Amino acid sequence: IFFKFGKVFAFPTSNGGNMTNVSIISLGIKELEVLKNKLVERDAEVKIFSSLEELSNDGTSTLICHSDALNKSKDEAKNLLSLARSLKIKKIIQIENYASTFSLKSELGKSYIRINLIKDDKYSLEVLISYALDDEKFITGSKESLMLKNLSKKVANTDVTVFINGPTGTGKEVVANYIHDQSSRKENPFIAVNCAAIPENMLEAILFGHEKGSFTGASHSNKGIFRAADKGTLLLDEISEMPLSLQAKLLRVLQEKKVTPVGGNREVEIDVRIIATTNRNMAEEVKNNNFREDLYYRLNVFPIKTFRLSQRSDDIIPIVVSIIKKNNDENKDFPYLSRKAQEFLKNHSWSGNVRELENVILRSLVLSNSMNINAEHIIVDESVQNHNEYYQQLEDKIFALGN
């Protein structure tokens, strides 16, 4: 559930701090340790059993098993669903085989997944992991992102202010959301406001609230997002774009933990955890008098840096799987990403980071008709970096492939 206030998004509750309980029947499963370790890295609680008979009502939400476990169990495949219901298991992922081709079939509202994996293929394994962890927000495939996630967990256990710095499209808001989900405030609001997207004359009223009649058009009072985020987390996105005139007022709010609505004279106490983000060099912004030094130090209690996608190439395939899963037509087969396409994606520079990657994958789904995605379906836009007058434009490439 979310509410909109211009470019402000409020998420009143969260379930992100809850771990997914995954049980794996080891019989017939290859790369068992790899699978287990990847699930654990992504915040799953994993238990390994040698047979279905060992399963008990221990809170398992997802069961992963191979067809061999069914064939050698006294519970035949047709009774698997009955077993899951009796143990209150929400999802079954059955690996039918390790074959030369990948396939995935979803039944019973995605609660029963049958999948053919390709041995030593990162993409098909990531699809399995993605279906095991449906609510995953912070996707980690690289050591860089795993370190970032572990750092976020540490700071989530405190209430200190966090300042996240990184290029556009590198997941700063994802990190902020994850910190909230892992914190003691996770059941309370997470509210994000983009400081660059709201007109300067409205930003103060949106942040601190306003009284009825305090300005033209204020037909009713509004408590503002600081008070709306009380007991929760407030994300000040692109805070480097905040006008200097408002920075002093923000500094006072952070120091006093009180807000005064526009047109009001009564201070209201607040209990809010602040996370701020920027894509700028804040030391330079302070040096050039674009950002108050005292506010910078107030915010920069625990700085976190996000990395460009090209610096964490092992994240690319997991992110691609997430994008495809989110946008693939449920009535169509889950597409396979060819090995050549995988290699191309991992080796591209991605100057636009995850946003550019998402554009490319959505484009490939259209060009492939949501069938298997091959290297020729991966078309990147290099016009921003390439100034050659003979360079073929993106539109021309798509037109040529479509004909």
Side-chain angles (χ1 to χ4, degrees):
I1 301 172
F2 69 94
F3 307 99
K4 286 188 179 180
F5 305 96
K7 292 292 185 181
V8 183
F9 300 91
F11 303 84
T13 59
S14 169
N15 295 317
N18 298 328
M19 299 180 80
T20 301
N21 294 314
V22 180
S23 291
I24 303 176
I25 308 302
S26 60
L27 185 62
I29 294 185
K30 301 175 182 178
E31 302 177 291
L32 179 62
E33 282 302 310
V34 174
L35 175 59
K36 176 187 173 182
N37 291 339
K38 285 184 175 292
L39 288 168
V40 170
E41 285 176 2
R42 301 189 195 180
D43 297 330
E45 182 177 323
V46 181
K47 296 180 180 178
I48 308 293
F49 300 94
S50 60
S51 69
L52 286 169
E53 285 80 8
E54 294 182 8
L55 278 176
S56 60
N57 193 355
D58 60 353
T60 296
S61 57
T62 301
L63 170 64
I64 300 174
C65 64
H66 190 277
S67 296
D68 286 354
L70 305 180
N71 298 335
K72 295 185 180 181
S73 169
K74 66 180 181 182
D75 298 291
E76 297 178 0
K78 64 182 180 181
N79 295 322
L80 182 60
L81 296 178
S82 297
L83 175 65
R85 278 192 290 268
S86 67
L87 297 178
K88 299 181 181 180
I89 296 172
K90 296 177 181 178
K91 177 180 287 188
I92 300 170
I93 301 177
Q94 180 183 333
I95 302 172
E96 295 194 311
N97 209 342
Y98 290 88
S100 58
T101 57
F102 166 85
S103 67
L104 182 146
K105 293 181 180 179
S106 175
E107 302 174 16
L108 303 176
K110 296 184 179 179
S111 62
Y112 184 32
I113 307 295
R114 292 186 294 158
I115 187 170
N116 276 310
L117 297 180
I118 300 175
K119 187 180 177 181
D120 300 324
D121 177 65
K122 185 170 185 177
Y123 178 81
S124 59
L125 182 62
E126 287 295 339
V127 174
L128 169 61
I129 293 169
S130 180
Y131 273 91
L133 306 173
D134 274 331
D135 298 326
E136 185 181 21
K137 295 178 183 177
F138 195 153
I139 298 172
T140 52
S142 68
K143 65 178 187 299
E144 293 84 4
S145 288
L146 185 58
M147 290 170 61
L148 179 59
K149 176 181 275 189
N150 290 336
L151 194 62
S152 299
K153 285 181 182 178
K154 286 185 179 181
V155 74
N157 291 325
T158 72
D159 228 17
V160 301
T161 301
V162 180
F163 205 170
I164 306 172
N165 194 312
T168 299
T170 54
K172 295 186 291 294
E173 187 167 346
V174 171
V175 175
N177 216 319
Y178 183 78
I179 291 172
H180 172 77
D181 286 347
Q182 297 294 316
S183 75
S184 60
R185 297 175 179 265
K186 64 185 178 183
E187 300 299 334
N188 296 311
F190 173 86
I191 297 182
V193 56
N194 188 322
C195 299
I198 299 174
E200 182 175 346
N201 61 341
M202 290 294 297
L203 191 54
E204 182 178 0
I206 287 174
L207 286 175
F208 308 135
H210 62 81
E211 300 294 347
K212 181 180 179 180
S214 57
F215 55 85
T216 303
S219 57
H220 60 276
S221 62
N222 189 305
K223 64 181 181 180
I225 64 170
F226 263 92
R227 290 165 66 189
D230 193 46
K231 302 291 190 294
T233 303
L234 175 59
L235 169 62
L236 299 173
D237 195 18
E238 297 189 57
I239 197 170
S240 50
E241 308 304 313
M242 179 177 285
L244 277 168
S245 59
L246 193 57
Q247 291 178 23
K249 296 180 180 179
L250 175 62
L251 176 64
R252 184 176 181 278
V253 170
L254 297 182
Q255 289 174 335
E256 304 295 330
K257 298 186 184 301
K258 297 176 182 178
V259 296
T260 304
V262 175
N265 52 23
R266 181 176 63 91
E267 292 185 329
V268 181
E269 291 188 358
I270 54 170
D271 174 16
V272 178
R273 203 256 179 86
I274 300 295
I275 302 177
T277 73
T278 183
N279 59 6
R280 295 179 180 267
N281 183 328
M282 292 307 295
E284 287 296 318
E285 293 298 301
V286 170
K287 182 179 179 181
N288 295 330
N289 296 318
N290 294 324
F291 201 84
R292 291 180 62 105
E293 184 175 12
D294 47 5
L295 178 57
Y296 168 69
Y297 285 116
R298 174 65 63 174
L299 293 170
N300 202 43
V301 179
F302 197 88
I304 289 180
K305 175 184 177 182
T306 57
F307 296 92
R308 292 187 177 277
L309 191 55
S310 59
Q311 295 175 289
R312 47 189 177 97
S313 59
D314 285 340
D315 283 345
I316 291 175
I317 300 305
I319 293 173
V320 167
V321 169
S322 176
I323 294 169
I324 293 175
K325 183 181 174 187
K326 179 181 176 181
N327 293 279
N328 189 54
D329 188 336
E330 290 186 14
N331 297 318
K332 295 184 178 181
D333 291 339
F334 198 97
Y336 176 69
L337 184 70
S338 73
R339 291 184 186 262
K340 284 187 177 180
Q342 292 180 50
E343 286 304 311
F344 180 90
L345 293 173
K346 289 191 67 174
N347 293 322
H348 184 61
S349 58
W350 302 115
S351 59
N353 297 298
V354 176
R355 291 177 186 173
E356 182 188 2
L357 175 61
E358 184 173 21
N359 284 350
V360 170
I361 297 306
L362 293 179
R363 192 179 299 139
S364 71
L365 286 172
V366 174
L367 294 173
S368 66
N369 293 317
S370 294
M371 302 292 285
N372 290 344
I373 300 172
N374 299 317
E376 61 265 25
H377 300 132
I378 305 296
I379 301 179
V380 297
D381 184 1
E382 297 174 332
S383 57
V384 177
Q385 289 79 34
N386 197 317
H387 302 289
N388 188 332
E389 62 179 310
Y390 300 107
Y391 176 73
Q392 187 181 22
Q393 293 293 325
L394 176 64
E395 296 90 340
D396 297 330
K397 290 181 179 180
I398 293 175
F399 183 81
L401 186 61
N403 288 272

